[in-house]
Amino acid sequence: MRGPDLARAALEAARAAAKARGRGPGRPRRGGGAGQSRRRRSWSGARPDDRDPQPLGRLASRLAADRGWTDRLAGGQVFGRWATLVGADVAEHARPVTLRDGELTVQASSTAWATQLRLLQRQLLAKIAAGVGPDVVKRLRVQGPAAPSWRKGPLHVPGRGPRDTYG
């Protein structure tokens, strides 16, 4: 047999096998074949479904959880919501500087406010934990105001600096 005759013979054999199984040429398939099961796609209807449009906040929180960003985002909330977390008076005189390994470094505007923040440390940690969640900020480190640097240029002479010539 040649090519076209061989193809016709294979087609006739397939039709005979289908007829023996009880399926004619016009009948659709029911299953997916040997070992395969096909599930019919259904509409979501009134119930919530993964195919429904999702709110942006839910998608963003799912993305952050999948990528492991939740700790960094919680730390960012401390900086972004500082005034609402600690109150307007404290936020006016103190600002967060860094957050590393659960330790928040706060810089006060004066030494008196640095002392006040050290005394209020437990209350501030409780407010922050209530606002952004527990274990985001575990310790609070308070710094006083930053003094200006009198070192200018690459060369420096040891001593008290410009204060020694004032009289």
Side-chain angles (χ1 to χ4, degrees), residues 15-103:
R15 283 184 180 162
K19 194 176 227 181
R21 283 192 306 250
R23 272 196 18 225
R27 288 180 130 159
R29 268 188 198 185
R30 290 224 163 212
Q36 294 178 351
S37 63
R38 245 187 194 182
R39 202 178 110 211
R40 185 174 178 204
R41 184 175 177 152
S42 64
W43 300 101
S44 65
R47 295 177 317 272
D49 190 11
D50 288 339
R51 294 173 288 162
D52 289 340
Q54 301 291 318
L56 185 61
R58 185 181 305 157
L59 293 174
S61 64
R62 187 182 305 164
L63 176 69
D66 290 345
R67 302 221 176 166
W69 296 342
T70 53
D71 295 336
R72 296 185 120 196
L73 289 175
Q77 283 185 357
V78 172
F79 288 87
R81 297 175 39 203
W82 177 250
T84 58
L85 289 174
V86 297
D89 289 340
V90 174
E92 186 178 339
H93 296 285
R95 65 180 183 88
V97 180
T98 59
L99 177 62
R100 286 194 189 107
D101 299 326
E103 182 179 62

Side-chain angles (χ1 to χ4, degrees), residues 51-158:
R51 294 173 288 162
D52 289 340
Q54 301 291 318
L56 185 61
R58 185 181 305 157
L59 293 174
S61 64
R62 187 182 305 164
L63 176 69
D66 290 345
R67 302 221 176 166
W69 296 342
T70 53
D71 295 336
R72 296 185 120 196
L73 289 175
Q77 283 185 357
V78 172
F79 288 87
R81 297 175 39 203
W82 177 250
T84 58
L85 289 174
V86 297
D89 289 340
V90 174
E92 186 178 339
H93 296 285
R95 65 180 183 88
V97 180
T98 59
L99 177 62
R100 286 194 189 107
D101 299 326
E103 182 179 62
L104 179 66
T105 304
V106 177
Q107 186 173 23
S109 62
S110 67
T111 54
W113 268 101
T115 304
Q116 186 71 21
L117 289 175
R118 286 185 190 103
L119 293 173
L120 293 173
Q121 187 169 2
R122 286 191 183 186
Q123 289 89 349
L124 292 176
L125 286 173
K127 285 182 179 181
I128 292 170
V132 296
D135 296 333
V136 175
V137 177
K138 298 171 188 168
R139 292 177 304 281
L140 195 65
R141 189 171 142 223
V142 180
Q143 293 179 341
S149 173
W150 295 103
R151 292 183 88 156
K152 307 280 192 267
L155 302 176
H156 178 70
V157 176

